[in-house]
Amino acid sequence: SDHIIEQPFEDVWREAGVLVFTYVNTTTFCYALNLPIPIVLIDTPGTPWYKNMMKTIEKRVSILTVRVVDKKFIIDKYELLSAIDESYNKVSQGAAIEVTG
């Protein structure tokens, strides 16, 4: 990151080229699903998902599952870059409506 923005997310999301989340159970993530911006979710093994929700989210968000080695999260930078590239093709309001209504 080049800088930290302290204003509310709703006021500044347009400054981002892509959003990267590490947690789905936030109001910010649900809000972001309805925005016309690419989203990447860095998912950790063992994250509890509601039935079929991951399949629905994958229509809108690129999901990268991290590996855990010696209690450390390992994120391959090439996989992350690939997920970012893929996320540009998933900016769709249809999937967001399935999730948020």
Side-chain angles (χ1 to χ4, degrees):
S1 173
D2 294 333
H3 62 282
I4 296 172
I5 300 171
E6 296 182 10
Q7 288 83 19
F9 176 79
E10 296 81 2
D11 297 339
V12 298
W13 65 267
R14 288 175 187 83
E15 295 184 36
V18 64
L19 302 174
V20 179
F21 283 89
T22 57
Y23 190 67
V24 297
N25 293 333
T26 68
T27 55
T28 302
F29 181 75
C30 290
Y31 180 87
L33 289 175
N34 290 292
L35 300 174
I37 189 168
I39 300 173
V40 173
L41 171 64
I42 298 176
D43 188 39
T44 56
T47 298
W49 284 92
Y50 292 110
K51 185 179 181 181
N52 298 321
M53 188 55 66
M54 185 179 228
K55 289 181 183 179
T56 302
I57 294 287
E58 284 179 317
K59 295 176 188 175
R60 171 64 181 92
V61 175
S62 292
I63 300 176
L64 173 62
T65 302
V66 299
R67 295 181 319 242
V68 180
V69 177
D70 296 327
K71 298 182 183 179
K72 295 179 184 176
F73 296 120
I74 306 298
I75 300 172
D76 181 279
K77 68 180 178 181
Y78 298 107
E79 290 178 8
L80 177 57
L81 291 172
S82 178
I84 290 169
D85 286 342
E86 177 186 272
S87 70
Y88 283 89
N89 297 320
K90 294 187 172 193
V91 179
S92 165
Q93 301 300 257
I97 291 168
E98 279 187 60
V99 175
T100 62

